[in-house]
Amino acid sequence: MLSLKLQPAKSLAQKAVARLRQAIIEGELPLGAFIAEEMLAQSFGVSRTPVREALNQLQLQGLVVIKPQVGSFVFSPDAEDIATICQFRIILEPKAAELAYHRDRNSVVTEISTAILGMEQALRAKDNVAYGRADTALHEAFFNHCGNRYLQESYRLVAGRVAALRTNLSSPIDVQTPLSFEEHRAILGFFQAGDFAGFTSLMTAHIANSGQTYAKALLG
């Protein structure tokens, strides 16, 4: 008889994936940082096997780069990679938002309103990580309710990297200036009104501006 019993190592690996993903997205492990397997294993209180499996999974998500005979590193995008990610988002996000509007408008408005409240609180506290979390939640709301699993799966290809770029590169700037926050409030306004010409125009500019912020921050 086929056994579908879950193996403990798998569970440990998934826990390691979740914790490492959080550490990368929230800047505990900076972009380009070396990831020491032995140190992580000791910190987690596990063998190196689940740590290696976690790193392999994070490599598939684009958050980790594994260099044979060298080691594992947090991803470090270049200008071309950032431009490509932004182009990808510009194509996907307006369509996901339009589908979500027709499928579950009220839930999206609730999620975005909650995210904007979180951003406002983070601005007052000058909390880069909290701002990044709320920013990510706002953009993910469209995909959460678009009802198209292929769009959702496509977005997951870049979601972790985008979240990490926000926290590491743009949130420190966004919490010092109201521009990004005001754009998010305007995005909500266009969505509520069902004005997708205005929504697409603003979202395109918003994502493009974010890309420029990322690129400038990488240059120091």
Side-chain angles (χ1 to χ4, degrees), residues 57-118:
Q57 290 187 38
L58 289 169
Q59 180 173 233
L60 294 175
Q61 296 179 26
L63 290 172
V64 168
V65 176
I66 299 175
K67 299 180 180 180
Q69 311 303 318
V70 177
S72 300
F73 301 82
V74 177
F75 84 107
S76 181
D78 57 21
E80 182 179 356
D81 190 34
I82 287 173
T84 302
I85 289 173
C86 289
Q87 289 171 356
F88 183 76
R89 291 181 60 203
I90 287 169
I91 293 169
L92 257 61
E93 289 196 39
K95 178 52 67 176
E98 188 172 354
L99 291 173
Y101 178 87
H102 294 294
R103 183 175 182 271
D104 197 359
R105 174 187 179 276
N106 291 340
S107 293
V108 179
V109 169
T110 298
E111 285 189 26
I112 293 177
S113 298
T114 299
I116 287 176
L117 177 60

Side-chain angles (χ1 to χ4, degrees), residues 168-219:
N168 285 274
L169 302 180
S170 64
S171 289
I173 298 171
D174 292 341
V175 298
Q176 302 297 330
T177 173
L179 177 60
S180 174
F181 177 68
E182 293 302 330
E183 285 181 347
H184 284 103
R185 291 211 298 190
I187 285 169
L188 173 59
F190 281 124
F191 181 84
Q192 286 179 300
D195 180 356
F196 286 100
F199 180 97
T200 299
S201 178
L202 178 56
M203 183 63 83
T204 298
H206 176 74
I207 293 172
N209 289 339
S210 295
Q212 292 174 5
T213 299
Y214 302 153
K216 288 178 182 177
L218 283 175
L219 292 174

Side-chain angles (χ1 to χ4, degrees), residues 12-30:
L12 290 173
Q14 289 306 313
K15 289 178 181 178
V17 167
R19 184 64 187 92
L20 283 171
R21 189 177 191 276
Q22 178 189 23
I24 293 170
I25 287 175
E26 297 189 353
E28 294 176 72
L29 290 172

